[in-house]
Amino acid sequence: TSSGQFRNSYPLIGPAAMGFKSLLAAAGGAAAGVATATFAVPTAVGALGFTAAGITAGSAAAAMMSSAATAAGGSVAAGSIVAVLQSVGATGCGAATTGAAAATGAVVAGTASRCVARSRL
């Protein structure tokens, strides 16, 4: 068989199936995901009042904590949204969150690039 026939018999999968533009878009999406998890999310959480020094008095975070503590009988439950947001405010997003954001960004950007390329927009 000629190399053309062989190539058409076995469809490419993974990065080999992506065009250069799609691969570049996926890399850009991964970078955007990392930037979001590293900078944007902690900044937004800090603006709500979840900080490394604790919950800021009079903030949205303080209102959330008060509501959660009242509902739970005086304490904030571990793993609750208030506890998770305070953890992010104090330490930033962990490696797993950053990795998940990067992977999501890569998939979304790569897929969008392929769709645009196929529609010839």
Side-chain angles (χ1 to χ4, degrees):
T1 62
S2 73
S3 62
Q5 288 174 328
F6 178 78
R7 184 176 182 138
N8 291 334
S9 299
Y10 299 96
L12 297 173
I13 58 172
M18 299 178 78
F20 178 73
K21 289 180 182 178
S22 295
L23 196 56
L24 192 60
V34 169
T36 299
T38 305
F39 303 110
V41 170
T43 299
V45 169
L48 289 173
F50 296 100
T51 69
I55 292 181
T56 304
S59 66
M64 290 174 68
M65 183 177 177
S66 175
S67 177
T70 301
S75 63
V76 176
S80 68
I81 189 70
V82 173
V84 171
L85 290 173
Q86 180 53 40
S87 176
V88 170
T91 62
C93 293
T97 303
T98 303
T104 301
V107 169
V108 169
T111 302
S113 174
R114 295 275 298 169
C115 290
V116 169
R118 287 185 179 180
S119 68
R120 303 199 192 284
L121 292 176

